[in-house]
């Protein structure tokens, strides 16, 4: 095998990986759209009794998309208003999110 043949083979595999990564991102975005809560919603979770969703995005790692979501929240202050603090929720915390009317 020559260096050029190796480059062609590697480029082909990298293209397959990139296509798969793009599909994972697309699937996760579709999942995010189907969630019962959206960015800006007032919710409760296992970490905070009252908080607001700051962002919901596909989770990434150094190798690409993981197939999970990253949810960032702003907890309520003691007076019940929106704080500037921001937390990232982890898997079990994400599963506990409930929308507050």
């Amino acid at each position: 095998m020559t260096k050029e043949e190796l480059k062609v083979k590697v480029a082909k595999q990298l293209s397959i990986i990139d296509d798969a990564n793009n599909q994972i991102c697309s699937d996760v975005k579709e999942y995010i759209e189907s969630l019962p809560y959206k960015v800006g919603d007032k919710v409760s979770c296992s970490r905070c009794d009252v908080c607001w969703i700051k962002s919901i995005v596909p989770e990434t790692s150094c190798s690409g998309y993981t197939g999970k979501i990253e949810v960032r929240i702003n907890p309520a202050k003691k007076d019940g208003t929106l704080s500037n603090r921001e937390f990232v929720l982890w898997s079990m915390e994400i599963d506990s999110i409930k929308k507050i009317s």
Side-chain angles (χ1 to χ4, degrees), residues 7 11 13 32 35 44 49 74 76 81 93:
K7 283 183 179 181
Q13 294 304 311
I32 290 169
L35 291 171
S44 67
D49 290 335
N74 295 108
T81 60
E93 294 170 327

Side-chain angles (χ1 to χ4, degrees), residues 31-43:
Y31 170 70
I32 290 169
E33 288 298 316
S34 73
L35 291 171
Y37 47 84
K38 305 292 181 220
V39 173
D41 284 351
K42 187 176 182 180
V43 297

Side-chain angles (χ1 to χ4, degrees), residues 4 8 13 24 29 35 39 43 53 57 81 88 91-93 101:
E4 288 75 27
V8 169
Q13 294 304 311
I24 290 169
K29 285 181 178 180
L35 291 171
V39 173
V43 297
I53 303 219
V57 296
T81 60
V88 176
S91 61
M92 296 296 284
E93 294 170 327
S101 302

Side-chain angles (χ1 to χ4, degrees), residues 6-85:
L6 175 62
K7 283 183 179 181
V8 169
K9 287 184 176 191
V10 168
K12 181 180 176 184
Q13 294 304 311
L14 289 174
S15 174
I16 291 168
I17 291 168
D18 189 47
D19 290 344
N21 203 31
N22 289 337
Q23 183 62 51
I24 290 169
C25 180
S26 176
D27 292 344
V28 172
K29 285 181 178 180
E30 186 178 324
Y31 170 70
I32 290 169
E33 288 298 316
S34 73
L35 291 171
Y37 47 84
K38 305 292 181 220
V39 173
D41 284 351
K42 187 176 182 180
V43 297
S44 67
C45 64
S46 59
R47 183 180 280 194
C48 302
D49 290 335
V50 178
C51 56
W52 287 264
I53 303 219
K54 171 85 172 178
S55 68
I56 308 171
V57 296
E59 183 183 80
T60 58
S61 71
C62 55
S63 62
Y65 294 99
T66 64
K68 299 176 183 176
I69 61 174
E70 178 182 285
V71 178
R72 293 180 179 268
I73 59 161
N74 295 108
K77 295 178 190 176
K78 288 183 180 183
D79 66 3
T81 60
L82 179 69
S83 73
N84 289 328
R85 295 182 301 154

